[in-house]
Amino acid sequence: ILLFDVANMKISKPKKWDRKWWQVIFDIPNSKKKSRDYFQKKLKSLGFYFIQESVCLHPFPCQKEIELLREYYGIKKFVNLVRVDYFEEEYLIKRQFDL
């Protein structure tokens, strides 16, 4: 069931955006390189915008999805999710998400 959920995972767009950003920050060691690579690839496929190699943003709530990915890839203690009100140059990323 977990594999099915990860393979078909999507982040739903709410009817109204709450103007909050969800920031994923991770520092996954080289001993878990495969997990790190799969995790990054999945974040990109979910539409996350990478502002650095291991820092990315999404405008819609994604707590459940990130928790599932952390468990699935065995990287829970290396990944943090933060809700952000503002960041520099957010106007550039708003365009990507049609906000």
Side-chain angles (χ1 to χ4, degrees):
I1 294 173
L2 190 59
L3 179 61
F4 176 81
D5 288 342
V6 169
N8 295 299
M9 183 182 293
K10 293 182 181 177
I11 297 174
S12 300
K13 181 177 182 177
K15 290 181 181 181
K16 185 176 180 187
W17 181 42
D18 64 3
R19 306 191 65 77
K20 306 284 185 205
W21 294 95
W22 294 89
Q23 183 178 51
V24 177
I25 303 166
F26 54 98
D27 188 13
I28 303 168
N30 284 335
S31 62
K32 294 191 166 279
K33 184 180 182 336
K34 271 190 171 182
S35 292
R36 181 180 63 223
D37 293 346
Y38 287 130
F39 180 67
Q40 278 182 307
K41 185 176 180 181
K42 188 62 183 179
L43 291 175
K44 288 177 184 176
S45 76
L46 288 170
F48 279 83
Y49 182 89
F50 277 77
I51 57 176
Q52 292 183 4
E53 190 173 331
S54 57
V55 179
C56 57
L57 295 161
H58 202 285
F60 310 131
C62 54
Q63 302 97 307
K64 291 178 185 175
E65 293 83 359
I66 296 302
E67 182 60 32
L68 180 64
L69 292 174
R70 290 191 303 195
E71 291 291 332
Y72 181 75
Y73 293 119
I75 54 173
K76 185 172 182 151
K77 65 182 180 178
F78 307 112
V79 178
N80 289 295
L81 181 64
V82 180
R83 191 170 63 194
V84 179
D85 290 333
Y86 168 81
F87 65 94
E88 290 181 326
E89 300 183 4
E90 73 176 5
Y91 69 93
L92 296 173
I93 300 170
K94 281 182 175 180
R95 289 183 196 162
Q96 178 177 326
F97 292 99
D98 294 324
L99 299 173

